[in-house]
Amino acid sequence: MASRNVLLIILPLCLLGMLFTSAVHASRDEYKFATEQQRQDFKKLTATLRCPMCQNQNIADSDAMIAHDMRRKVYQLITEGQTSDQVIDFMKTRYGDFVYYQPPVTKTTIWLWLLPIVVLFVGAYLVFTRKPSTPVTQDESAALAKAEALLEEDK
Amino acid sequence: MSKPIRFVLPLVFFLGLTFFLFQGLFSDPRERDAQTLEKPMPAFSLPDLMDPTTLHTESVFLGEVTLLNVWGVWCVTCKVELPYLTSLRKEGKRIVGLYYDQDLDPDFGTKTLQRVQQEVLSTTDSLGDPFVFNIFDVYRDTSLDLGVTGAPETLLIDQNGIIRVHHIGDVNPRVWEQKFAKLYNELVTNTQNGVKD
């Protein structure tokens, strides 16, 4: 019984400990901001900028060195008073459109928006121009009537 | 809808999709066009790795065709290409190193410069030293300006300080032939002619 009591004490302590570790992890990379707006901008930017080294991770989530360096740069630019757009442009001139999760509309990427609409129209066309199924022939209707009769009998 | 279309339309759609996805099997998701191409070397002012009192700026690339090799001793592939780069130097090519350290975290920096120099020297002593000098990118700012994603990367910079080739990965005889040789020889010839004029 004693061991069970011990467990009852240890378990909540462990859970409490987990709470704290997550808090420590979150503050590990904490940068200091002058205004709340800057902090929000930083949070948003690091979530929408893509790490060029790793496949599909934003720079907030990635632990790659390049992501560290980019976060530091974003912080530096924001504290210098640059707007979010300026920071995004800064990164784009260095790492290309790839670095930002919102793709620009270009001749190639326009299909991302057009294709779903095209598919919708093609689908609508197919559905609305469908002919009703061919009417049953005389023989078939006779056979059907016979089958119906048999089914009735079984009841 | 007539029978043939009913048969052909899904087939065309299927073949199109197959072709599209098949191509994807052989494409490299890491391959991207460098943004730095045909642009001048970004402005910088960084210390020499071995003699930190000397400051290098982007003007070190003017007047001579240069290969800029982004590297670090912690990078295994960089070590692999050192002997080949050294042989390029012996052929008379000017190679400048842009050195950056991975362990040297600007936010929590711990490593001494002496330590870094020592590591570099022991590496170049055993594998060859292709560098005229090494620029120490302390905060990795210039690497970021160059759109460097890792090491090694090698850039060919012409005599006007314009970046002409940006190669990601190691330089070996095959890569040299494919990506550098032709343009490099062209640039060198132009520079020499320019000097004569």
Side-chain angles (χ1 to χ4, degrees), chain A residues 29 31 33 42 45-46 49 59 65-83 86-95, chain B residues 42-43 106-107 137 139-147:
Chain A
D29 233 59
Y31 289 105
F33 294 96
F42 179 80
L45 279 169
T46 52
L49 286 169
I59 60 170
M65 189 172 64
I66 179 80
H68 275 280
D69 289 351
M70 283 169 74
R71 281 200 295 268
R72 193 155 40 81
K73 196 55 133 181
V74 169
Y75 174 74
Q76 185 195 325
L77 294 177
I78 285 182
T79 45
E80 276 171 14
Q82 300 214 13
T83 64
Q86 281 172 317
V87 176
I88 290 165
D89 282 342
F90 177 93
M91 289 301 173
K92 273 189 178 177
T93 52
R94 282 155 184 78
Y95 292 100
Chain B
D107 295 329
D137 191 8
Y139 292 96
R140 298 191 288 267
D141 273 331
T142 303
S143 303
L144 195 85
D145 284 342
L146 285 169

